[in-house]
Amino acid sequence: ETGVTQSPTHLIKTRGQQVTLRCSSQSGHNTVSWYQQALGQGPQFIFQYYREEENGRGNFPPRFSGLQFPNYSSELNVNALELDDSALYLCASSSRPFAGGLETQYFGPGTRLLVL
Amino acid sequence: AQTVTQSQPEMSVQEAETVTLSCTYDTSESDYYLFWYKQPPSRQMILVIRQEAYKQQNATENRFSVNFQKAAKSFSLKISDSQLGDAAMYFCAYRSPRDMRFGAGTRLTVKP
């Protein structure tokens, strides 16, 4: 069983640029959720994708967007980067979305983004 | 909006002793789940224990147990027989059908 993987591990961008982060879900999982974890804080829910459709979104602006592919891997895109976007970005996969009941999410190791 | 509060930024416990981490949450929903996650310094988040809100019985996983007080909206984590490997950030989390919220975390130190 392959775990959740994310790439890249670290990334440095400048303000105004765009970034794409990638997540490969665990084998057999069709749901991916993305979180932003600022330094010293708990993760904040960005959005969830279930079977290639967005299935819930937290309080993040539209410049945060995502995709899920037929193999259930996912991308997080952030446009017009701001300094406050510097954070650890976590993805988590599961075999059902939040509304599907008690389901364990498996987290990836994260991508550390620094915006200068 | 649902919020999750962890009032203890840091806790310390002696190896083999018991420690309790506090968590309160605020919600008007009836259908939700509660979780405790552990994030070691390597940063990969790991599920420790989970609880369905409709179940009155407190969840237990080996040395980890919860005290779920639904009316008080409290969900504390008890770690028994603490081990050095328990040292990590612990996050309490609330999940509804369309949302998930985490607390700010409690850093647990285990002293040998």
Side-chain angles (χ1 to χ4, degrees):
Chain A
E1 186 176 83
T2 305
V4 179
T5 60
Q6 292 185 243
S7 63
T9 55
H10 295 82
L11 202 52
I12 300 175
K13 291 285 188 178
T14 56
R15 194 170 48 182
Q17 284 189 311
Q18 178 266 343
V19 68
T20 297
L21 310 182
R22 295 178 176 83
C23 172
S24 291
S25 58
Q26 187 165 304
S27 177
H29 287 178
N30 56 22
T31 303
V32 172
S33 304
W34 285 93
Y35 299 86
Q36 180 194 68
Q37 186 177 17
L39 196 62
Q41 298 182 23
Q44 290 191 62
F45 173 61
I46 302 175
F47 44 57
Q48 181 179 82
Y49 277 83
Y50 169 59
R51 293 185 175 179
E52 304 179 59
E53 298 285 333
E54 188 178 291
N55 184 56
R57 189 180 182 92
N59 189 27
F60 279 81
R63 60 188 186 85
F64 286 78
S65 63
L67 282 173
Q68 188 177 32
F69 301 99
N71 67 354
Y72 302 129
S73 65
S74 178
E75 287 183 354
L76 164 65
N77 299 290
V78 187
N79 294 322
L81 283 167
E82 301 177 359
L83 299 180
D84 284 350
D85 295 334
S86 296
L88 179 68
Y89 288 85
L90 298 169
C91 81
S93 76
S94 57
S95 58
R96 286 182 293 180
F98 292 164
L102 185 60
E103 184 63 32
T104 297
Q105 292 185 90
Y106 295 87
F107 282 81
T111 294
R112 175 74 65 187
L113 173 65
L114 177 62
V115 182
L116 301 176
Chain B
Q2 299 86 0
T3 59
V4 179
T5 302
Q6 294 180 249
S7 59
Q8 305 153 316
E10 297 184 357
M11 290 286 282
S12 179
V13 63
Q14 204 72 34
E15 195 176 6
E17 296 295 310
T18 296
V19 65
T20 298
L21 308 185
S22 301
C23 173
T24 59
Y25 60 95
D26 183 31
T27 185
S28 57
E29 301 197 35
S30 58
D31 179 21
Y32 59 90
Y33 302 95
L34 299 165
F35 304 83
W36 278 97
Y37 283 90
K38 170 185 178 181
Q39 190 176 40
S42 67
R43 75 188 185 208
Q44 196 142 2
M45 197 85 70
I46 304 166
L47 177 67
V48 174
I49 198 166
R50 59 190 188 182
Q51 173 87 38
E52 295 101 315
Y54 60 85
K55 284 191 176 180
Q56 292 186 343
Q57 186 173 5
N58 290 324
T60 299
E61 288 286 344
N62 300 314
R63 298 183 294 108
F64 299 88
S65 61
V66 298
N67 183 5
F68 174 45
Q69 301 289 328
K70 190 172 184 178
K73 296 179 182 174
S74 171
F75 184 62
S76 61
L77 173 70
K78 185 172 82 171
I79 306 174
S80 304
D81 185 25
S82 296
Q83 300 175 0
L84 295 177
D86 295 334
M89 284 293 291
Y90 285 81
F91 293 97
C92 177
Y94 161 101
R95 200 186 86 193
S96 66
R98 302 279 291 183
D99 193 15
M100 185 147 185
R101 303 272 174 149
F102 286 81
T106 296
R107 182 175 301 281
L108 179 65
T109 302
V110 182
K111 298 179 179 178

